[in-house]
């Protein structure tokens, strides 16, 4: 039995659309494999215990909540970067994803600092991008991710940045580039909200495998598959919605 340590950044502020449900999925999928998730919250003013945390998680929030945490997060940039270079895993959703870039200019034109962990910048536009999304991840053998997006921010990846996936249906990072999210080492940033991991079990297992590898000092090993009948159905429903009504300009 291995205890996987999760550092949940700002759970009181960044938890829109029940983003914390992703942690429940990780905990259950770890449990059935005989492991345990030890979730610690890292809030305003709390230090980042580099080396101790195997998987960081930050959820989404509106501009107001992002404004409340952005400066504090900027103060944590160094230890978070160090943890990532030392192979900790990191999942960042929507508002949290935006703050992993260099900056976020909100709808009021206010510049919030990001931590520069991911090679990207985000500027809010007038029209929100709302709808179901389907992505294809070439780095994962073409496996797909299905989810829901709701954001004003348009995210531009640097030329050498790796997206999380190619948009099959939906808006993605900016509604134009055809890219969604960003990936660096074991860091995954995405606009796909709350029910991301319940509908995409392969991605949950990928994060768990990377977090386990961080804990044991080994390489990520694919976990024993689970039946996942309901999860597959949830993915299909979500992918079908993206096909029929995924957003586009
Ligand atoms: N405030 C950001 C935007 O609208 C993030 C929104 C969110 O996390 N849902 O772009």
């Amino acid at each position: 039995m291995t205890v996987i340590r999760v550092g949940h950044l700002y759970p009181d502020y960044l938890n829109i659309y029940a983003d914390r449900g992703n942690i429940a999925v990780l905990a259950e999928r770890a449990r059935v494999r005989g492991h345990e998730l030890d979730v610690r919250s890292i809030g305003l003013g709390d230090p980042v215990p580099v080396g101790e945390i195997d998987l960081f998680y930050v959820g989404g929030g509106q501009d107001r909540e992002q404004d409340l945490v952005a400066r504090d997060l900027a103060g944590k940039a160094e230890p978070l970067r160090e943890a990532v270079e030392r192979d900790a895993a990191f999942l960042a959703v929507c508002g949290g994803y935006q703050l992993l870039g260099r900056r976020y200019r909100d709808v009021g034109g206010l510049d919030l600092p990001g931590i520069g962990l991911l090679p990207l910048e985000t500027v809010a536009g007038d029209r929100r991008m709302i709808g179901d999304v389907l992505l294809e991840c070439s780095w994962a053998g073409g496996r797909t991710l299905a989810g829901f997006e709701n954001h004003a921010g348009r995210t531009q990846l640097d030329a050498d940045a790796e997206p999380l996936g190619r948009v099959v249906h939906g808006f993605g990072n900016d509604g134009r580039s055809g890219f969604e999210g960003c990936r660096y080492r074991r860091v995954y940033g995405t606009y796909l909200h709350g029910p991301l991991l319940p509908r995409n079990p392969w991605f949950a297992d990928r994060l768990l495998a990377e977090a386990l590898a961080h804990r044991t000092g080994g390489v990520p090993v694919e976990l024993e598959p689970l039946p996942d009948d309901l999860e597959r159905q949830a993915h299909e429903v979500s992918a079908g919605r993206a096909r029929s009504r995924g957003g586009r300009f």
Side-chain angles (χ1 to χ4, degrees):
M1 198 266 286
T2 304
V3 178
I4 302 165
R5 300 208 176 97
V6 175
H8 189 172
L9 287 151
Y10 312 111
D12 301 333
Y13 292 93
L14 299 179
N15 179 38
I16 204 166
Y17 298 124
D19 283 334
R20 83 175 79 217
N22 285 323
I23 293 190
V25 169
L26 292 170
E28 179 60 12
R29 299 184 76 83
R31 190 192 64 77
V32 294
R33 268 73 168 244
H35 304 304
E36 197 185 296
L37 226 60
D38 169 10
V39 184
R40 302 160 181 202
S41 109
I42 304 176
L44 294 176
D46 292 342
V48 176
V50 179
E52 277 180 41
I53 302 293
D54 306 308
L55 169 67
F56 289 91
Y57 179 67
V58 61
Q62 296 303 345
D63 288 9
R64 184 178 162 276
E65 285 77 34
Q66 286 175 285
D67 189 20
L68 291 172
V69 305
R71 269 153 215 89
D72 187 86
L73 183 65
K76 294 176 171 44
E78 260 322 298
L80 286 172
R81 272 201 229 118
E82 192 187 330
V84 163
E85 294 306 317
R86 286 163 61 174
D87 279 339
F90 203 143
L91 175 62
V93 176
C94 203
Y97 164 47
Q98 293 170 345
L99 294 179
L100 294 203
R102 287 187 295 271
R103 66 163 179 151
Y104 172 53
R105 176 168 292 173
D106 74 13
V107 275
L110 182 72
D111 270 329
L112 303 182
I115 61 172
L117 193 60
L118 292 176
L120 56 89
E121 292 196 354
T122 304
V123 175
D126 308 327
R127 243 184 88 190
R128 295 192 72 80
M129 293 183 269
I130 306 174
D132 296 274
V133 200
L134 185 67
L135 310 182
E136 194 177 85
C137 303
S138 56
W139 57 272
R143 274 181 286 195
T144 55
L145 290 172
F148 177 78
E149 62 183 329
N150 181 356
H151 52 108
R154 273 82 169 143
T155 297
Q156 295 296 326
L157 302 183
D158 290 359
D160 57 349
E162 245 198 277
L164 178 63
R166 189 181 62 78
V167 176
V168 183
H169 300 286
F171 290 107
N173 278 339
D174 59 358
R176 274 173 236 289
S177 63
F179 295 135
E180 204 293 315
C182 187
R183 197 167 81 86
Y184 169 72
R185 294 181 73 95
R186 293 176 180 168
V187 184
Y188 305 87
T190 180
Y191 276 112
L192 272 52
H193 261 297
L196 167 65
L197 298 183
R199 303 165 180 186
N200 300 290
W202 70 265
F203 189 47
D205 282 356
R206 167 106 189 180
L207 289 164
L208 275 181
E210 292 187 338
L212 273 166
H214 179 266
R215 173 73 6 219
T216 59
V219 291
V221 177
E222 224 165 277
L223 300 172
E224 290 250 317
L226 301 177
D228 286 336
D229 298 334
L230 283 173
E231 287 78 356
R232 254 191 298 277
Q233 277 181 43
H235 182 280
E236 270 322 295
V237 168
S238 189
R241 281 192 198 133
R243 255 174 237 123
S244 62
R245 56 179 211 213
R248 94 168 73 102
F249 287 127

